[in-house]
Amino acid sequence: MIPFLDLKATNQQYETELKEACNRVIDSGWYIMGKEVELFEQEFASFCGSQKAIGVANGLDALILTLRAWKELGKLKDGDEVIVPANTYIASILAITENNLIPILVDPDSGTFNLTVKGILASLTSKTRAILPVHLYGQISPMKDIMALAEKHGLLVLEDCAQSHGAMIDGRKAGTWGDAGAFSFYPGKNLGALGDAGAVTTNDNELYNVINALRNYGSTEKYKNEYKGLNSRLDEIQAAMLRVKLKHLDRETTIRQNFAAKYIAGIFNPLIELPIVVDIEGHVWHLFVVKTKTRKEFSEYLSENGIQSLIHYPIAPHKQGAYSEMNSHSYPISEMLHESVLSIPISSTMKECEVEKIISTINNYKGSVK
């Protein structure tokens, strides 16, 4: 069976370096908010091209804390509306409602899976205060146009970069287009920790200072709490692990891009619709997602032929029990995507022969539309 993602193999590439990093932290005797976190923040900010990076406990907290910081700064208030794609993972929406803000779901482009300016414009109201574009599957949203729209209407922009580490459009990386970028380092991400971890990038010193305090019980000085904060600090050992893996991220991205190029050039089955790529050099291929009207049959066919696939995501956020108040809403493009998308294997540890087998297996698929 060709696994969808072999995390053990991914991390075994750097086994010696990772163990040395872990031992370095253990031997230091400093396990919370130490040198490893400080250095990773500097290195990740440099990698992204932002002035600042703040390590936090996970990607959801990166989103929550940024929105909360804007509330503390008086830039957002309860009841303000935040535009977000309807087909995102639920975390993007949870961050909005956790801050007593109102998520305004917008259908995405059916080919790129990302927000469109047209969709945003159609959803603007007098209560709109922010846009939360999600760079889904490793491709950046049309940020140049989104930022022009945001500037025109005085809106904040928080990029959800959980799936887009190092992704670019017009040579500019994810996390540096908006007022802030939120990253997840969940183990399965392109830059994955060996546990939960996250970060916020920004060029806004005022925002940086507030998030920096909020992640640490709302404190900038021990036992003095300026805000009602959280305990959401990037773990020292995870920071050390991430420093190791960050050094190899560009190489791994190149491998993913090469495999994606093979898929795009080699898959020609009319029953399988390939993703649309806006910037071929900037897409980092966290996932390679195809569409098909016979998803269940196609998934079973792949499994029977020794290929594991996954669905990202089977249930739309507005159809979840957590958001029962939205269950009657209709987002036709999002609903179509949630019913037809399927992710096939792509990773830096795959073999050429596995990619070739996947291509030939897909091209031999004879399923029929029912």
Side-chain angles (χ1 to χ4, degrees):
M1 177 71 75
I2 299 174
F4 180 77
L5 177 63
D6 188 343
L7 286 178
K8 184 176 180 180
T10 298
N11 291 317
Q12 277 182 334
Q13 300 176 96
Y14 318 120
E15 181 178 1
T16 299
E17 291 178 85
L18 291 170
K19 288 180 177 178
E20 287 174 352
C22 186
N23 287 336
R24 187 170 67 241
V25 175
I26 293 170
D27 293 343
S28 75
W30 194 292
Y31 308 121
I32 300 290
M33 299 293 286
K35 205 69 179 174
E36 298 293 338
V37 169
E38 180 183 342
L39 289 171
F40 173 70
E41 289 174 337
Q42 294 171 6
E43 291 161 5
F44 189 65
S46 177
F47 170 82
C48 293
S50 64
Q51 293 177 17
K52 302 285 187 180
I54 310 119
V56 296
N58 54 68
L60 176 56
D61 280 2
L63 292 166
I64 289 173
L65 290 170
T66 303
L67 294 172
R68 186 165 299 180
W70 279 331
K71 292 184 73 177
E72 294 288 354
L73 289 166
K75 295 184 177 183
L76 292 175
K77 65 180 185 305
D78 287 1
D80 283 346
E81 294 178 353
V82 181
I83 288 176
V84 63
N87 62 316
T88 185
Y89 182 58
I90 199 170
S92 310
I93 299 167
L94 288 170
I96 297 169
T97 56
E98 179 67 17
N99 280 289
N100 295 317
L101 302 168
I102 309 300
I104 302 300
L105 276 57
V106 175
D107 256 342
D109 180 88
S110 62
T112 66
F113 310 113
N114 286 331
L115 276 177
T116 66
V117 169
K118 181 180 179 181
I120 295 170
L121 281 170
S123 302
L124 288 178
T125 75
S126 60
K127 294 184 178 180
T128 308
R129 293 292 179 271
I131 306 170
L132 204 162
V134 181
H135 309 320
L136 208 60
Y137 308 146
Q139 178 162 240
I140 295 189
S141 307
M143 291 307 298
K144 187 174 182 179
D145 293 336
I146 288 175
M147 292 310 299
L149 183 155
E151 183 176 354
K152 179 179 179 180
H153 294 275
L155 305 176
L156 297 164
V157 177
L158 170 56
E159 299 173 68
D160 187 331
C161 307
Q163 300 185 6
S164 59
H165 313 83
M168 295 185 290
I169 193 166
D170 294 337
R172 186 171 171 181
K173 286 184 178 177
T176 64
W177 285 88
D179 299 284
F183 290 82
S184 166
F185 304 122
Y186 182 77
K189 304 300 185 185
N190 289 24
L191 178 60
L194 276 74
D196 268 323
V200 178
T201 54
T202 187
N203 293 337
D204 185 333
N205 284 329
E206 189 177 35
L207 179 64
Y208 167 82
N209 289 334
V210 177
I211 297 175
N212 204 32
L214 285 172
R215 69 168 174 177
N216 188 35
Y217 298 97
S219 173
T220 53
E221 183 180 341
K222 195 170 185 179
Y223 300 130
K224 291 185 178 180
N225 303 80
E226 300 174 47
Y227 309 101
K228 297 173 182 176
L230 301 175
N231 175 9
S232 182
R233 301 170 298 207
L234 175 59
D235 185 83
E236 188 75 355
I237 284 183
Q238 295 302 340
M241 302 290 189
L242 287 166
R243 290 186 65 209
V244 169
K245 298 184 74 174
L246 181 60
K247 293 186 297 183
H248 302 282
L249 182 56
D250 284 339
R251 180 189 65 83
E252 289 199 19
T253 296
T254 298
I255 295 171
R256 286 176 177 270
Q257 290 172 330
N258 288 338
F259 287 157
K262 288 181 181 295
Y263 281 151
I264 292 170
I267 297 172
F268 53 81
N269 192 322
L271 297 174
I272 307 302
E273 186 176 342
L274 299 176
I276 291 175
V277 183
V278 176
D279 186 336
I280 192 67
E281 294 181 356
H283 200 317
V284 296
W285 300 103
H286 171 61
L287 299 171
F288 194 97
V289 180
V290 300
K291 290 184 291 186
T292 176
K293 294 179 179 179
T294 58
R295 182 172 67 186
K296 185 176 185 294
E297 180 183 349
F298 180 52
S299 176
E300 291 171 351
Y301 165 81
L302 290 177
S303 181
E304 289 166 1
N305 283 274
I307 300 167
Q308 184 183 23
S309 61
L310 293 178
I311 299 172
H312 296 90
Y313 307 97
I315 304 173
H318 70 282
K319 295 296 185 182
Q320 298 283 359
Y323 290 106
S324 58
E325 68 275 18
M326 298 184 189
N327 287 174
S328 63
H329 295 187
S330 177
Y331 304 98
I333 295 175
S334 178
E335 288 160 17
M336 177 274 292
L337 292 174
H338 285 283
E339 292 170 0
S340 64
V341 296
L342 189 76
S343 302
I344 62 175
I346 189 164
S347 76
S348 63
T349 58
M350 289 177 66
K351 300 178 178 65
E352 293 274 354
C353 61
E354 292 176 325
V355 174
E356 291 169 2
K357 177 183 176 179
I358 291 168
I359 291 172
S360 63
T361 302
I362 291 175
N363 285 336
N364 289 328
Y365 175 58
K366 303 289 196 254
S368 59
V369 178
K370 296 178 181 179

